[in-house]
Amino acid sequence: MNHKASARSAVSESDPFEALRRIGHRTRTFIRIPHVKDLVNMNAFHLEAAKRELTTLVRQTQTRQPGRARNGSSSQRTMPTVHPVSERAKRDMMLKFEARTRLELYRQEPESVDDFLFTGMFLWPVNDIHPDQIFGTSHATLDDLRTFHSVFITYDRQSSIFKILTNDIDGNGKVEEVITKLRVAFCEYAASKCVPLEIYLVSPPESKDAKANVRMIDSDLRLKAGFIPPSDPTTALRGVPKSAELAGADLPGEEKSKWNVQAAKTIARNERLTERALLKTLQRAVYLRGRIQMRAHFGLFVFNKYVLMNDARGIPTAEFIHNIRDPKTKGSLQQVLLTKEEVENVFKEIWDATDLFVPLDSSSDTLKDVKPFHSAWFQFGYGQTQYLKLQLEASPIRGYHSVHEIHEITQRHWTKHNRIAAAPLQMYMIPLQKGITWKMQIAADGNIKDSELPISLTKFDAAVQLLAPSSSALEIGGTELMFEIPGREQFPNMDYDFQQKTAWRYRLQANGAYVFEIARYDKFALGRTPKQTGREPVFTQWGFSLWCVGWDEKLSENAALKIGEHANWTPSLEEFLPTSYQSQSTGPNAGFSDYLKMLQRIVEVLGKAITMSAPEADHNGLLKADSAPEASHNGLGMADLEEDLLL
């Protein structure tokens, strides 16, 4: 016995890999060499036998491998001693081995379906959408369902039938659950491929301001500078965006009464379309996986594409409102470039509107004392159509009075944005008088797990740190860089755009569930050229947003969904547009009515502070519908919404 042990020890010291092969032969296991990570094709008894001998081997042996000395002679290079594995590491390894074994088991094709106690079938609903488009050619996406429910899932391509098989003791319930998840996975794919809703509504003016015609004019001069970002000179080919304004003579007395009737019908129609569009999009969003965000934004609406109006005097207002339904209509809501005086006016109007706003939290005594939040937005190029985005949110720490200790990074989000796909809902309110208006949007981005990120991006994420803010950084006009960002020399091959967001947030007095935000967006160069230090922004815009706290709480469920799962929130307007005890609206849609009133009230407050000035209209320079810049997608318009979409 001693002679055999000595021989076995000699073999282990001279060639430890041979010892591993011997262990595998004796315990009927396969050990992958040289990376001893995966143990497959075994049961628990074989696994324990192999682990016992492996533990003995690593405790008694130092792994040696031949090396080459600098003088060319052969030598032995000693590797570090392998220390005993901790109990926690053993458990983790055991769980990984068991998961790998289960996966290999349930990926196999069963020889006969008659050998199973429980069997279920799911007939694929349509022929034009193949399961491979959702689950991949090998249906590897279904592996989580296979292992979690202990079932075999096969697909008969001739009959388009999924078969779910199991011998588990509670297999009947598991089969039913898998069938439900297959149906949900199909609904998710269908919802993600639905044509997005893109709706344009017109806000009719009061009869005292109404005029006979509507004409197109060049947009505000400051908007031109913001519409063509300096970092993207190719967009200069898109031309000058246009805005609509009332023109012509005032309406005579008898026409004003008719206008009031028509305006009431237009407003009622706008409310009906808004309600239906929100409800329809929420019903789809239940099935979407990823980061879903619902917001109302305020800014300047511009036309990028619209029906040609040959008459320089414009067209009748009623005809313009009707033509907005044309699917060729394309527009966007732009952030605004504000002068220093206008910025001060905006905050003054907010601070004076104590009947509309209150501080976000109790740490601020007045609206003027509200401290800003800071966010960092990075956008990385990825393939032809995908962008990876990193968003860091820094929040004030409550209870600290030192200006150098009031912020910390509280959220980090990695998302994947498809620049070709459109948001599920974009709804614009077009004013016929120059000024601020609103846009309702529900956007969707794909989630990125940390394990899916390249190592370089993981290191970049860890390297970004928050700087201690100075007193000037917390002021309205402060444009100080608040984040410590690694230099280009540290990541020379990484290309990204960086934007810093500074946001002041307030609650609405009438309904504390809603938050209004004033945000300054500063774009930094970050040393793209030697002359740019990156410490001062090269471009600054302002934006305004409104959202309900409950929206983020509910829609955050979608970010954690797995294949075959849907969100548990209820897709109803009562759920997403809550009312308050102070509301004077009644009926089932009271929250919806209050929400529209909030939008209009905020538009009025912002309109007092932001005065728009436009150059002389170039009425002969209107874009033709077929020669205007193409939009990034073709959404459904109001006509589609009213006809068959919402039936």
Side-chain angles (χ1 to χ4, degrees):
M1 295 293 293
N2 294 336
H3 175 72
K4 292 182 178 179
S6 300
R8 186 162 58 245
S9 177
V11 171
S12 299
E13 292 182 358
S14 62
D15 187 2
F17 295 155
E18 179 61 28
L20 297 178
R21 296 188 186 95
R22 290 175 178 271
I23 293 174
H25 179 72
R26 285 195 302 274
T27 59
R28 296 178 58 194
T29 61
F30 170 74
I31 304 175
R32 189 185 302 275
I33 299 173
H35 301 290
V36 187
K37 292 182 179 179
D38 302 317
L39 302 177
V40 297
N41 301 328
M42 71 198 75
N43 55 35
F45 175 79
H46 299 147
L47 180 62
E48 288 299 327
K51 286 176 60 180
R52 285 195 298 271
E53 293 210 23
L54 284 173
T55 303
T56 302
L57 177 66
V58 298
R59 285 178 177 176
Q60 296 178 352
T61 308
Q62 278 192 331
T63 304
R64 295 175 179 271
Q65 64 180 13
R68 180 68 60 181
R70 291 187 177 180
N71 57 9
S73 61
S74 180
S75 65
Q76 295 288 333
R77 183 171 58 194
T78 302
M79 300 298 290
T81 302
V82 181
H83 296 283
V85 183
S86 65
E87 291 299 323
R88 180 176 180 180
K90 289 180 181 179
R91 289 194 301 269
D92 292 342
M93 291 176 61
M94 186 65 180
L95 292 175
K96 291 180 180 180
F97 295 153
E98 290 178 353
R100 179 65 178 271
T101 304
R102 286 171 57 83
L103 179 58
E104 294 295 334
L105 171 64
Y106 290 110
R107 270 184 174 178
Q108 298 176 8
E109 187 79 18
E111 295 182 0
S112 174
V113 298
D114 299 330
D115 298 335
F116 293 90
L117 296 176
F118 301 97
T119 303
M121 291 187 294
F122 175 70
L123 178 63
W124 194 247
V126 295
N127 294 326
D128 53 344
I129 300 178
H130 198 274
D132 292 356
Q133 298 175 247
I134 305 175
F135 308 123
T137 55
S138 61
H139 293 182
T141 309
L142 299 176
D143 287 345
D144 289 343
L145 297 183
R146 293 184 173 104
T147 55
F148 182 79
H149 297 285
S150 302
V151 297
F152 292 87
I153 302 177
T154 64
Y155 180 67
D156 188 340
R157 297 183 179 275
Q158 292 184 348
S159 58
S160 299
I161 292 178
F162 278 95
K163 295 181 180 180
I164 301 91
L165 316 167
T166 184
N167 282 322
D168 202 87
I169 189 171
D170 55 347
N172 191 38
K174 291 185 176 181
V175 168
E176 292 180 357
E177 189 169 352
V178 170
I179 291 177
T180 300
K181 289 187 175 181
L182 288 175
R183 180 185 63 81
V184 171
F186 172 80
C187 292
E188 178 205 347
Y189 182 83
S192 65
K193 297 302 179 182
C194 283
V195 178
L197 295 178
E198 185 178 329
I199 303 170
Y200 299 91
L201 308 174
V202 176
S203 176
E206 297 181 7
S207 58
K208 61 182 181 65
D209 299 321
K211 295 184 181 295
N213 296 331
V214 174
R215 65 183 179 182
M216 290 292 183
I217 62 171
D218 288 349
S219 294
D220 186 85
L221 286 175
R222 291 167 297 152
L223 180 59
K224 290 182 186 179
F227 190 76
I228 304 174
S231 61
D232 188 8
T234 59
T235 53
L237 301 176
R238 301 180 63 183
V240 178
K242 302 287 183 177
S243 297
E245 74 166 7
L246 294 170
D250 294 335
L251 295 180
E254 62 275 10
E255 293 294 329
K256 289 185 177 181
S257 58
K258 295 181 180 180
W259 175 266
N260 289 332
V261 174
Q262 187 61 36
K265 292 181 179 179
T266 301
I267 293 174
R269 176 178 171 276
N270 290 347
E271 294 181 359
R272 184 177 66 253
L273 288 175
T274 303
E275 179 182 354
R276 292 181 178 180
L278 281 173
L279 183 59
K280 187 67 177 180
T281 306
L282 290 174
Q283 291 172 346
R284 294 174 177 174
V286 169
Y287 297 100
L288 296 178
R289 289 188 295 159
R291 192 178 182 207
I292 314 297
Q293 193 174 63
M294 182 173 173
R295 291 288 187 272
H297 299 290
F298 301 86
L300 305 177
F301 179 84
V302 295
F303 285 93
N304 302 329
K305 188 175 183 180
Y306 45 84
V307 178
L308 176 66
M309 292 186 286
N310 294 318
D311 192 345
R313 297 171 299 177
I315 62 174
T317 303
E319 184 179 345
F320 171 82
I321 295 177
H322 181 272
N323 287 349
I324 289 298
R325 307 183 190 185
D326 193 295
K328 296 177 181 178
T329 299
K330 298 295 175 186
S332 59
L333 191 79
Q334 298 292 317
Q335 297 172 344
V336 293
L337 299 172
L338 299 180
T339 64
K340 181 179 179 180
E341 180 181 357
E342 285 176 328
V343 171
E344 294 175 350
N345 290 339
V346 167
F347 279 93
K348 185 178 183 302
E349 291 293 338
I350 297 297
W351 296 338
D352 292 342
T354 54
D355 62 326
L356 181 60
F357 302 110
V358 295
L360 183 63
D361 57 76
S362 57
S363 63
S364 301
D365 296 329
T366 65
L367 295 174
K368 194 173 183 179
D369 296 332
V370 171
K371 302 298 182 183
F373 293 75
H374 293 89
S375 303
W377 293 2
F378 298 90
Q379 184 165 282
F380 302 84
Y382 182 74
Q384 296 297 320
T385 61
Q386 303 290 340
Y387 284 124
L388 293 184
K389 297 193 296 184
L390 170 62
Q391 180 178 342
L392 307 178
E393 176 85 15
S395 303
I397 303 177
R398 309 306 173 199
Y400 285 98
H401 300 288
S402 171
V403 73
H404 297 290
E405 299 179 303
I406 64 173
H407 287 75
E408 65 176 350
I409 295 180
T410 55
Q411 297 183 34
R412 292 176 181 262
H413 296 293
W414 277 100
T415 55
K416 181 169 60 176
H417 174 67
N418 191 331
R419 61 191 177 99
I420 294 180
L425 173 65
Q426 296 186 94
M427 183 162 43
Y428 304 89
M429 180 61 73
I430 304 173
L432 296 183
Q433 295 170 308
K434 296 187 297 291
I436 299 294
T437 186
W438 58 263
K439 163 191 174 182
M440 187 67 193
Q441 176 174 292
I442 298 180
D445 282 332
N447 255 6
I448 296 292
K449 299 179 182 178
D450 291 342
S451 58
E452 298 174 347
L453 289 173
I455 297 178
S456 59
L457 291 183
T458 303
K459 292 181 178 179
F460 182 90
D461 186 353
V464 179
Q465 300 297 326
L466 181 67
L467 297 174
S470 63
S471 57
S472 61
L474 304 179
E475 297 176 355
I476 296 174
T479 57
E480 180 180 339
L481 185 60
M482 289 289 299
F483 294 87
E484 183 66 36
I485 301 172
R488 297 282 177 176
E489 65 279 358
Q490 187 175 350
F491 297 91
N493 298 323
M494 188 174 295
D495 186 27
Y496 59 85
D497 291 324
F498 170 67
Q499 185 173 246
Q500 179 174 282
K501 175 184 174 183
T502 306
W504 291 262
R505 294 170 182 169
Y506 311 87
R507 289 191 184 275
L508 265 66
Q509 178 80 266
N511 192 332
Y514 287 92
V515 176
F516 175 70
E517 176 183 270
I518 304 176
R520 186 184 66 237
Y521 299 89
D522 298 313
K523 188 170 184 178
F524 290 84
L526 295 181
R528 288 182 177 271
T529 64
K531 295 182 180 180
Q532 293 173 332
T533 62
R535 305 305 300 181
E536 294 294 331
V538 297
F539 193 64
T540 298
Q541 289 178 307
W542 290 82
F544 313 92
S545 302
L546 176 71
W547 73 90
C548 178
V549 176
W551 296 351
D552 291 348
E553 294 176 354
K554 294 178 177 65
L555 296 175
S556 63
E557 292 184 27
N558 294 66
L561 295 179
K562 298 179 180 179
I563 184 71
E565 296 179 346
H566 62 78
N568 293 319
W569 45 264
T570 304
S572 66
L573 296 185
E574 293 80 2
E575 186 83 7
F576 277 79
L577 301 176
T579 186
S580 69
Y581 68 93
Q582 303 180 29
S583 174
Q584 298 180 356
S585 303
T586 58
N589 293 329
F592 175 72
S593 300
D594 291 343
Y595 176 67
L596 294 182
K597 293 176 183 178
M598 292 178 200
L599 297 178
Q600 184 58 36
R601 182 76 173 89
I602 293 174
V603 166
E604 294 172 359
V605 171
L606 295 177
K608 294 179 182 178
I610 304 175
T611 58
M612 310 310 300
S613 59
E616 290 297 324
D618 180 12
H619 303 300
N620 296 322
L622 300 180
L623 298 175
K624 293 184 179 180
D626 55 356
S627 63
E630 291 295 333
S632 60
H633 62 280
N634 294 318
L636 290 179
M638 292 175 290
D640 304 280
L641 191 64
E642 290 181 313
E643 292 176 2
D644 59 346
L645 181 62
L646 298 176
L647 296 179

